[in-house]
Amino acid sequence: MVDKRKLNEKKFKNWEEFEWGRRYWYEVEGKLGWKARYVKEVDINENTLRFYQEIYDNEGRLIEVHHKYPIDEGHIRLKDKT
């Protein structure tokens, strides 16, 4: 059996623990100071509950979220692009 926790820790490098499970994430730097954060939430058995992408502008403000799992909801813009 594959140890899901070890695989998640290796891939994501960052995590927080909660009573319901864990939230893992890693960040990718984009052009012009933007960044994307990929977030995976799992239950105490490391089964995926949610997976989504957060987009931050060059000032570190969250401007867009893309929920990918369990249902792909597409990109949701939180702030007007100015």
Side-chain angles (χ1 to χ4, degrees):
M1 183 173 154
V2 177
D3 187 343
K4 292 180 184 180
R5 178 168 282 193
K6 285 184 181 179
L7 288 174
N8 283 329
E9 289 175 357
K10 182 178 180 180
K11 180 175 182 180
F12 289 91
K13 306 291 186 203
N14 304 292
W15 61 86
E16 295 177 289
E17 300 221 20
F18 301 94
E19 63 279 353
W20 49 263
R22 281 182 162 192
R23 177 181 296 133
Y24 294 97
W25 74 91
Y26 70 90
E27 295 178 353
V28 177
E29 295 290 328
K31 295 181 181 179
L32 306 174
W34 290 53
K35 73 177 176 183
R37 176 181 288 174
Y38 294 88
V39 182
K40 180 178 183 180
E41 295 179 359
V42 300
D43 65 16
I44 59 173
N45 295 316
E46 294 292 312
N47 296 312
T48 303
L49 300 172
R50 294 192 326 155
F51 183 76
Y52 53 96
Q53 177 189 41
E54 299 175 333
I55 304 295
Y56 294 85
D57 68 11
N58 59 338
E59 296 180 10
R61 292 179 294 214
L62 178 63
I63 61 165
E64 193 172 296
V65 177
H66 181 182
H67 293 275
K68 298 179 180 224
Y69 181 88
I71 298 170
D72 190 337
E73 298 175 3
H75 291 271
I76 300 168
R77 185 161 276 299
L78 304 175
K79 173 184 177 290
D80 286 337
K81 189 176 179 180
T82 57

